[in-house]
Amino acid sequence: MKAQARHILVKTAEEAEQLKQRIAKGEAFDVLAKKYSTCPSGKRGGDLGEIRPGQMVGAIDQVIFKKPLRTVHGPIKSKFGYHLVQVFYRD
């Protein structure tokens, strides 16, 4: 199985929630990822590319392979911070 997803990583749940609300109001996920994400993927608009099970930390893996597609999920806490995750496809 594989999936394609993008995410935004920030330091606090509050910051993640504010970004999620901005996305819900129509701001572009990739633009916000480039500006705010602390992950190197932020430079690519949060694009994580193709992911296989077990490549990401457990909490993120669960979202990528179990939650509905094209929805912004989060904030999800990991040892790295708080994530917003959006999955485009899985097969």
Side-chain angles (χ1 to χ4, degrees):
M1 181 181 274
K2 62 187 176 190
Q4 198 269 324
R6 62 184 177 177
H7 82 140
I8 297 173
L9 174 63
V10 292
K11 292 191 184 314
T12 68
E14 294 77 24
E15 191 177 0
E17 193 56 53
Q18 288 171 356
L19 291 172
K20 187 175 183 178
Q21 289 173 15
R22 290 174 65 177
I23 293 164
K25 290 177 183 169
E27 289 191 58
F29 190 107
D30 60 330
V31 172
L32 293 174
K34 285 177 185 172
K35 188 168 182 181
Y36 296 104
S37 186
T38 60
C39 180
S41 69
K43 293 184 179 97
R44 300 185 304 276
D47 186 6
L48 295 169
E50 239 178 41
I51 302 153
R52 297 191 182 277
Q55 279 187 274
M56 306 299 287
V57 294
I60 305 305
D61 218 48
Q62 287 293 312
V63 171
I64 291 172
F65 293 100
K66 304 259 192 270
K67 299 285 185 183
L69 298 174
R70 303 198 179 279
T71 301
V72 178
H73 300 284
I76 303 146
K77 188 178 188 325
S78 80
K79 65 182 179 182
F80 302 105
Y82 293 84
H83 306 254
L84 295 179
V85 180
Q86 187 177 41
V87 183
F88 292 105
Y89 74 83
R90 63 175 88 86
D91 62 18

